[in-house]
Amino acid sequence: MTGPGTGTVATIADLGVVPVVTFTDPALAEPVFEALCSGGLPVVEVTLRAPGAIDVVGRLVDAFPDAIVGAGTVLSVEDATAVMDNGARFVVSPLTDPAVMATCLRRGVPVVPGACTPTEVHKATEAGAELVKFFPAEPMGGRRFLQAVAGPLPAARFVPTGGLNAGNLAGYAALPNVAACGGSWMVPSSALAERRYGDVSKLAAEALAIVAQARGRG
Ligand code: 3PG
């Protein structure tokens, strides 16, 4: 199959890290994403939690056609359709909504629904999710949850998100059922406020190095 989703899941799993960014100032989208790319992370989940976020997705797709620009906090079919119309390569939600999932999968766009119980994880994978966002990871049991469900739910590959940072990243990345780790820690709001894009590049590179080492490639 070819289409917007071709290779996206494999690339996300290979990178092992998904920066989650809420662009409260849409003008910062290009320089911040450039900084992530410079740090080795040509992937971003743009949350729909700020005005203009759907347009930001489109702008980044146009400016970085080879990168993996996706949308997060997608809660409705309307928003899923809008971000895919703007070229989103993947769609993330904090929950599992069968209608949102079907809308994305019909267009061949990988969808990463949120789940934090075994029943939700099962529903997500049964509905066609190649990756499941374990959210919110830290409050819902962290890596112990992921270890506990690995046996009974072997089909699930996770993107734990929510409370991850450079300090606990290695513990997640080392788990066989973790495809990638998501979070906002690589783009701190203080770095955005002060336009310290070099900090973003450093945090992205640090995250990649931690994942590589946790996976035995460091
Ligand atoms: C998300 O939108 O996926 C989460 O809010 C990110 O969680 P974090 O800010 O704890 O990384």
Side-chain angles (χ1 to χ4, degrees), residues 20 22 45 47 49 72-73 92 94 133 135 161-164 182-185:
V20 177
T22 300
E45 174 189 327
T47 80
R49 300 204 290 267
T73 323
V92 184
K133 174 170 174 157
F135 177 81
T161 310
L164 274 66
S184 62
W185 81 94

Side-chain angles (χ1 to χ4, degrees), residues 137-181:
E138 281 288 295
M140 298 309 289
R143 62 195 304 278
R144 286 171 53 232
F145 174 92
L146 295 169
Q147 286 173 306
V149 298
L153 299 171
R157 297 175 74 212
F158 291 97
V159 183
T161 310
L164 274 66
N165 54 53
N168 60 17
L169 178 60
Y172 284 98
L175 298 176
N177 59 349
V178 167
C181 298

Side-chain angles (χ1 to χ4, degrees), residues 71 73-81 83-84 91-107 109-114 127:
T73 323
V74 177
L75 298 171
S76 68
V77 167
E78 291 71 24
D79 280 351
T81 302
V83 295
M84 288 189 292
V91 169
V92 184
S93 176
L95 47 82
T96 297
D97 181 324
V100 169
M101 286 192 67
T103 301
C104 298
L105 294 175
R106 255 198 310 274
R107 289 174 60 160
V109 175
V111 56
V112 187

Side-chain angles (χ1 to χ4, degrees), residues 12-112:
I12 288 173
D14 191 46
L15 291 168
V17 185
V18 178
V20 177
V21 188
T22 300
F23 288 107
T24 46
D25 181 352
L28 301 191
E30 285 87 353
V32 166
F33 191 52
E34 183 81 58
L36 287 169
C37 293
S38 296
L41 274 182
V43 58
V44 67
E45 174 189 327
V46 178
T47 80
L48 302 193
R49 300 204 290 267
I54 291 172
D55 291 338
V56 165
V57 170
R59 281 195 359 238
L60 289 179
V61 168
D62 290 345
F64 302 87
D66 297 328
I68 310 281
V69 177
T73 323
V74 177
L75 298 171
S76 68
V77 167
E78 291 71 24
D79 280 351
T81 302
V83 295
M84 288 189 292
D85 287 347
N86 275 4
R89 297 273 301 273
F90 65 98
V91 169
V92 184
S93 176
L95 47 82
T96 297
D97 181 324
V100 169
M101 286 192 67
T103 301
C104 298
L105 294 175
R106 255 198 310 274
R107 289 174 60 160
V109 175
V111 56
V112 187

